[in-house]
Amino acid sequence: MTDPGQRLRSSLADQAASTGADFDSPIAMEAMRATRVLHAADQEPFPAPGRIRVISVANQKGGVGKTTSTVNLGVALSLYGLRTLVIDLDPQGNASTALGVPHNVGTPSIYDALVGDSSLSEVVHPTTASPLLSCVPATIDLAGAEIELVSVVAREYRLRRSIEAYLHSLPADQQPHYVLIDCPPSLGLLTLNALVAGDEVLIPIQCEYYALEGLGQLLNNIDLVRQHLNPGIAVRTILLTMYDGRTKLADQVAEEVRNHFGDLVLDAVIPRNVRVSEAPGYGQSVITYDPGSRGSTSYVEAAREVAQRGVHLTPVAPPAPPARPAASLDRLAFADTDAATVPVAHPSRPEERA
């Protein structure tokens, strides 16, 4: 596997050769990295996607970097010229915290759009990271949303319809290029809403053994969503996070993931970096908190790859909901004891056998 540090050194060496500058010392290299990130507006912008990309960042395992990746990819895309909307769908509200957006009780939030009658445009907040980056925060009220939505008709489509209405309400030159949805660490109704709303899934995978456990369950649930609720959803991006180059285990996990998922895995790898963990405490992403850190430049590289992969996407009409009656979903049993998880067929019921 290509070492991200080696790629960065090669890039800086090429730039040094062209400018005649010397970036051999670590301090000079960090200063150079920080300059490139801080002056992103003066550099070539990332290419715009062929269509609006709604990406659900999902993994039912906690602590793998879902929120961190959502926030930093969103900041990087916006700093390099792409309009981006981050939707915080985790009741903990960590993405809102990292973007410096208030999410105390009473703040207009995604809860009001999912459970209430608010439109998404009424709960979108600007961020200080970039004028092109906005955020829909999550409040603690969202913790009860799964229970409140159980009896709602077409509950799986609440977020999708909110996003579609929001996009149609905006002029073409103000619509976001990217909508990033930060999912909670579960396979409940909130994550289900995100999978139905999106057209692609980005899965962050921690470079440790336990991160691989349960991944099959996530992929199986995404396949169920594609069969029953959203034919257009697919896993299109895998991001390796918390890579520790000092351990063989990280290399083994990364190699196994690349062998299994192939081109879906981004070349950019997010290393373990204390700056990444410190940044949310200051209400910032690592890109604005410490632009010269390895964590910052790695996320910029990852965002660049994500943007480049979206260039050749062709505009498509959003897939319509399945044409069968909504009541047919009631004939499906849930995969486990959580009443809000993705439904799967229950073969033991007489009506199913019939």
Side-chain angles (χ1 to χ4, degrees):
M1 187 190 70
T2 304
D3 178 17
Q6 181 61 43
R7 290 203 308 274
L8 183 58
R9 285 190 292 272
S10 299
S11 174
L12 292 175
D14 292 341
Q15 186 158 351
S18 62
T19 60
D22 182 8
F23 297 111
D24 288 339
S25 71
I27 295 178
M29 290 180 65
E30 182 166 348
M32 181 61 193
R33 294 196 298 262
T35 301
R36 294 175 63 182
V37 174
L38 286 173
H39 296 280
D42 299 330
Q43 301 180 45
E44 183 178 355
F46 289 168
R51 63 170 184 259
I52 298 174
R53 298 179 71 183
V54 182
I55 303 176
S56 301
V57 183
N59 191 330
Q60 79 272 22
K61 185 180 185 302
V64 299
K66 289 186 299 296
T67 297
T68 301
S69 298
T70 303
V71 167
N72 286 287
L73 289 175
V75 171
L77 291 168
S78 62
L79 287 177
Y80 281 83
L82 299 177
R83 295 183 296 275
T84 306
L85 171 66
V86 171
I87 298 179
D88 189 354
L89 209 59
D90 188 343
Q92 298 177 86
N94 292 336
S96 308
T97 299
L99 291 174
V101 176
H103 58 99
N104 52 296
V105 175
T107 301
S109 68
I110 189 62
Y111 172 84
D112 300 293
L114 287 177
V115 180
D117 297 324
S118 298
S119 65
L120 211 59
S121 58
E122 296 175 307
V123 297
V124 172
H125 296 251
T127 67
T128 57
S130 169
L132 298 180
L133 179 65
S134 52
C135 173
V136 178
T139 63
I140 193 61
D141 295 330
L142 194 60
E146 293 196 350
I147 297 176
E148 295 180 63
L149 287 173
V150 165
S151 60
V152 176
V153 176
R155 58 187 181 270
E156 301 91 354
Y157 294 94
R158 298 286 291 184
L159 181 59
R160 181 188 184 93
R161 291 173 179 172
S162 292
I163 293 175
E164 289 177 347
Y166 174 68
L167 295 177
H168 284 113
S169 69
L170 296 174
D173 60 349
Q174 295 181 21
Q175 292 178 345
H177 296 101
Y178 284 85
V179 178
L180 304 179
I181 307 174
D182 180 32
C183 298
S186 69
L187 293 176
L189 191 53
L190 292 176
T191 300
L192 178 57
N193 261 267
L195 296 178
V196 172
D199 51 32
E200 53 186 294
V201 181
L202 185 153
I203 304 179
I205 298 180
Q206 184 181 7
C207 291
E208 294 185 2
Y209 172 76
Y210 286 135
L212 300 177
E213 292 191 339
L215 191 58
Q217 183 183 0
L218 173 63
L219 297 175
N220 180 59
N221 279 275
I222 292 173
D223 187 55
L224 289 170
V225 170
R226 180 167 53 249
Q227 294 177 34
H228 296 287
L229 300 169
N230 181 9
I233 192 69
V235 178
R236 292 197 171 93
T237 309
I238 304 290
L239 176 62
L240 295 170
T241 63
M242 303 182 189
Y243 174 80
D244 189 345
R246 300 171 299 178
T247 66
K248 290 184 178 179
L249 176 61
D251 284 333
Q252 292 171 353
V253 173
E255 183 178 1
E256 186 172 345
V257 171
R258 291 185 185 280
N259 289 339
H260 183 76
F261 291 102
D263 292 339
L264 294 180
V265 186
L266 297 179
D267 291 334
V269 177
I270 310 303
R272 282 195 177 274
N273 185 256
V274 68
R275 296 301 193 189
V276 175
S277 302
E278 290 177 354
Y282 295 87
Q284 298 183 53
S285 68
V286 68
I287 295 173
T288 54
Y289 173 68
D290 188 357
S293 66
R294 292 184 62 207
S296 172
T297 53
S298 296
Y299 269 115
V300 171
E301 284 189 43
R304 191 187 308 276
E305 282 190 69
V306 170
Q308 290 171 344
R309 293 184 177 197
V311 172
H312 301 295
L313 293 176
T314 56
V316 293
R324 60 184 181 179
S328 64
L329 290 177
D330 296 334
R331 300 173 65 232
L332 299 174
F334 290 105
D336 53 34
T337 56
D338 182 356
T341 50
V342 178
V344 296
H346 197 305
S348 63
R349 296 187 179 180
E351 62 268 29
E352 289 295 329
R353 291 198 299 270

